[in-house]
Structures are given as C-alpha cells and as structure tokens.
Amino acid sequence: MSDPRRYEAEVGIIGGSGIYELDALTDVRRVRVSTPYGDPSGELVLGELSGTRVAFVPRHGARHHILPSRIPARANIHALKSLGVRQILGISAVGSLREDYAPGDLVVPDQIVDRTRADRGATFFDQDVVVHVAFAEPYCGRLRQLLIEAAGRATMATVHDSGTYCCMEGPQFSTRAESEMHRRLGFDLIGMTAVPEAKLAREAELCYAALCLVTDYDCWFDGHEDVTAQAVVDVMRRNSEAAKATLTTLLAKKSVDPECACQNVLASSINTPLEGLPDRAVERYALLLGKYLPASA
Ligand SMILES: [Zn+2]
C-alpha cells in the first residue's frame, strides 16, 4: 500500500508548560492536521531548527487551555507521524522528589511509573487489532544519550542522566502524604503528561525521549514553599530557555536513525493476523500499520 506520510518534517517536538512556541524556528508554516483520533492540541508548526525540519505542537494548546487528562495525545502523535516525523522530543515541567534534583535542573528520565486514572486514550490499537509493545525501556536509549550530551553542551544547568518519572492524574498538585509516598517508593520526578505520550510514540514506531525541567520540590521539602501554580510558571520561564538551547544544539547534528530498534517495534508486537482485517481497521491504521498490511489491503 502507498505510504501515507507527507515527509514535511523528520523530528517532532512536543512542548509543555512554558514552551508554547519555538522562536528560533525559520521558514515557519502552520498546518492543521486531522487524524482518525480527532484533532491535535492545535495547529502544528512546521519549520527548520539548526538545519533540521521539525514539527512542533504545544501539548496543552497554544493558550494552555487543555488540562493533562484531556490532552489529545493520540492525535498529536498520529499527526506528527503523518508529517513524516521519525522521532519525538517531549519537553515537560516536573516536580522533584529528591533534594539533588533541584529547581532549574534538567533531567532526561529513563523510567516511568503510570499512576494516571482517567481514560487518556493510552493505545492506538483499541479495536480489531491487538498489539502488545515492549515497554521495559519506555524511552529510546539512543535518543536519550543525544539529549543528555546536547543538554550538557548547551546549558549551564545541571543535567541528570536518569530518573523515574511518576505520572499522576492531576490537575491538582500532590498532597504532602502523596509526595512522601512517592519518595518512599523511589520515584524521582512527578508530572502529569509522560503517559500516554511515551506509550503512543512506541506504538507509532517513533524514537522518543523526554527533557524534563525541574520547577519545584513538589511539597515534601520542609523549608521550601509549597508548590503553587505561579511559582511553577516563574521557574519555567528560565527553564524554557535551557530547553530551547538544548534543542538547537541537538538538532545541529543528524539525530534521526531509521535503523533504530524503535522504528520496527511492531514487527514482533502484533497479535492479530493482518490478513482479512475489516476495511474500517485498514483505514484507521493505514499510517501505523501500513508497512505490515498485506499488499492487497
Ligand atoms: Zn529509537
């Protein structure tokens, strides 16, 4: 079957709190993309950053009006893939659950614990086809290393090369008891958006890594002010500059690898025979399963 991708960008960037646009982008064009999973968080911004074609989407919408539980993660990732994107960098604000991960620090996490409760649309394959992707390593190890190196070169901030991201439902911040519980369980970061974004990127066979910007100590640290939305926004402004510098440095070198294992993960993950799929499934999954569908489909 023909490849439905448009090849307008090779790297996707999903911006979180504090990053609603990338002012360093050149040759900018805004596009509306519709998907079988609804509309993305907003218009996608196509442009060039450090010589790389990128597509940017602000996770919470350009006006930060979409709460974490309602982010259209499936539409965002499907839209990026439809534009030709092969890897995604997710930027997000997080709270720290340990003293040595201080506000202003950057973290490239290596693990996720999913403590979300709402139905966030955590799989693309919700009918007709059953897919179980491996998720022991939720981030692309190759892209993580590139991100760690770029952050170290591009900023004066302290960069931590690992961490377990606990994804809570929100939108309220943690109680002190929850914060203490998460610390005792050994989690390092608390946030509201890593899930299902990382899961969906894996299902879409895209390399995915996250740059987390520490904004606060959640509410566990005696002597530090309890977290408020305004305090988070203030630190986020400084962090966003570090994130943008990291992206500019990372994308100055070729970072996409079509041979990365992430790019073929479905080859061993699809439980349902793809011969004889109903037409609605062939249509719904054309972009995601196209290369696996029988030629006659
Ligand atoms: Zn990869």
Side-chain angles (χ1 to χ4, degrees), residues 250-287:
L250 173 67
L251 297 179
K253 288 200 301 190
K254 178 127 187 86
S255 62
V256 174
D257 179 4
E259 303 300 317
C260 193
C262 310
Q263 307 278 327
N264 289 295
V265 87
L266 294 185
S268 56
S269 309
I270 306 169
N271 283 48
T272 309
L274 296 183
E275 297 77 25
L277 277 188
D279 289 348
R280 65 177 184 197
V282 171
E283 193 178 327
R284 184 173 180 82
Y285 304 131
L287 178 70

Side-chain angles (χ1 to χ4, degrees), residues 33-42 66 70-82 119-131 196 199-201 203-205 266 277 279-290 293:
V33 182
S34 59
T35 83
Y37 302 93
D39 293 332
S41 294
I66 306 170
R70 305 253 170 84
I71 292 166
R74 295 195 297 185
N76 288 346
I77 289 179
H78 196 281
L80 289 171
K81 183 164 175 114
S82 77
D119 177 2
R120 294 180 167 204
T123 179
F124 285 112
F125 305 107
D126 54 357
Q127 55 188 51
D128 299 315
V129 175
V130 175
V131 172
K199 294 181 178 182
L200 296 169
E203 286 190 345
E205 299 189 308
L266 294 185
L277 277 188
D279 289 348
R280 65 177 184 197
V282 171
E283 193 178 327
R284 184 173 180 82
Y285 304 131
L287 178 70
L288 302 170
L289 296 182
L293 290 170

Side-chain angles (χ1 to χ4, degrees), residues 4-78:
R5 281 181 289 178
R6 283 157 62 184
Y7 293 103
E8 304 211 49
E10 54 178 351
V11 174
I13 299 168
I14 302 178
S17 302
I19 302 196
Y20 308 107
E21 55 184 31
L22 290 175
D23 35 25
L25 279 188
T26 56
D27 192 19
V28 172
R29 191 156 56 87
R30 292 171 191 276
V31 290
R32 285 195 179 279
V33 182
S34 59
T35 83
Y37 302 93
D39 293 332
S41 294
E43 288 180 331
L44 276 74
V45 183
L46 289 167
E48 198 169 304
L49 187 63
S50 298
T52 298
R53 296 290 307 168
V54 305
F56 173 79
V57 54
R59 190 183 283 119
H60 298 279
R63 294 175 51 250
H64 200 134
H65 62 285
I66 306 170
L67 72 159
S69 308
R70 305 253 170 84
I71 292 166
R74 295 195 297 185
N76 288 346
I77 289 179
H78 196 281

Side-chain angles (χ1 to χ4, degrees), residues 140 142 207 260-262:
C140 169
R142 184 190 62 80
C207 295
C260 193
C262 310

Side-chain angles (χ1 to χ4, degrees), residues 2-295:
S2 65
D3 187 339
R5 281 181 289 178
R6 283 157 62 184
Y7 293 103
E8 304 211 49
E10 54 178 351
V11 174
I13 299 168
I14 302 178
S17 302
I19 302 196
Y20 308 107
E21 55 184 31
L22 290 175
D23 35 25
L25 279 188
T26 56
D27 192 19
V28 172
R29 191 156 56 87
R30 292 171 191 276
V31 290
R32 285 195 179 279
V33 182
S34 59
T35 83
Y37 302 93
D39 293 332
S41 294
E43 288 180 331
L44 276 74
V45 183
L46 289 167
E48 198 169 304
L49 187 63
S50 298
T52 298
R53 296 290 307 168
V54 305
F56 173 79
V57 54
R59 190 183 283 119
H60 298 279
R63 294 175 51 250
H64 200 134
H65 62 285
I66 306 170
L67 72 159
S69 308
R70 305 253 170 84
I71 292 166
R74 295 195 297 185
N76 288 346
I77 289 179
H78 196 281
L80 289 171
K81 183 164 175 114
S82 77
L83 294 171
V85 160
R86 284 193 175 269
Q87 70 184 20
I88 294 176
L89 297 158
I91 315 295
S92 63
V94 295
S96 169
L97 298 171
R98 47 190 288 177
E99 189 167 2
D100 58 336
Y101 284 27
D105 288 2
L106 308 182
V107 186
V108 180
D110 62 330
Q111 279 297 327
I112 297 173
V113 172
D114 180 2
R115 290 177 61 83
T116 62
R117 286 191 286 247
D119 177 2
R120 294 180 167 204
T123 179
F124 285 112
F125 305 107
D126 54 357
Q127 55 188 51
D128 299 315
V129 175
V130 175
V131 172
H132 298 290
V133 292
F135 204 53
E137 298 297 335
Y139 298 103
C140 169
R142 184 190 62 80
L143 190 54
R144 285 186 66 250
Q145 286 308 318
L146 294 177
L147 201 45
I148 291 162
E149 287 162 22
R153 283 206 309 276
T155 77
M156 300 297 285
T158 300
V159 181
H160 303 278
D161 64 5
S162 66
T164 296
Y165 181 126
C166 172
C167 188
M168 65 185 289
E169 189 61 54
Q172 299 82 5
F173 291 118
S174 312
T175 65
R176 211 173 307 279
E178 287 167 337
S179 198
E180 280 299 341
M181 174 180 71
H182 291 148
R183 275 168 51 73
R184 284 178 204 182
L185 287 169
F187 309 154
D188 304 307
L189 306 170
I190 183 95
M192 300 177 190
T193 58
V195 177
E197 199 168 281
K199 294 181 178 182
L200 296 169
R202 178 64 50 82
E203 286 190 345
E205 299 189 308
L206 303 172
C207 295
Y208 176 86
L211 182 64
C212 293
L213 317 170
V214 179
T215 52
D216 57 80
Y217 279 118
D218 203 33
C219 61
W220 61 271
F221 201 166
D222 279 344
H224 277 257
E225 292 170 28
D226 290 350
V227 55
T228 64
Q230 187 55 46
V232 170
V233 167
D234 290 343
V235 183
M236 210 36 233
R237 201 167 292 132
R238 296 202 298 275
N239 284 352
S240 76
E241 295 311 313
K244 289 171 184 176
T246 299
L247 291 173
T248 303
T249 299
L250 173 67
L251 297 179
K253 288 200 301 190
K254 178 127 187 86
S255 62
V256 174
D257 179 4
E259 303 300 317
C260 193
C262 310
Q263 307 278 327
N264 289 295
V265 87
L266 294 185
S268 56
S269 309
I270 306 169
N271 283 48
T272 309
L274 296 183
E275 297 77 25
L277 277 188
D279 289 348
R280 65 177 184 197
V282 171
E283 193 178 327
R284 184 173 180 82
Y285 304 131
L287 178 70
L288 302 170
L289 296 182
K291 68 184 182 185
Y292 300 107
L293 290 170

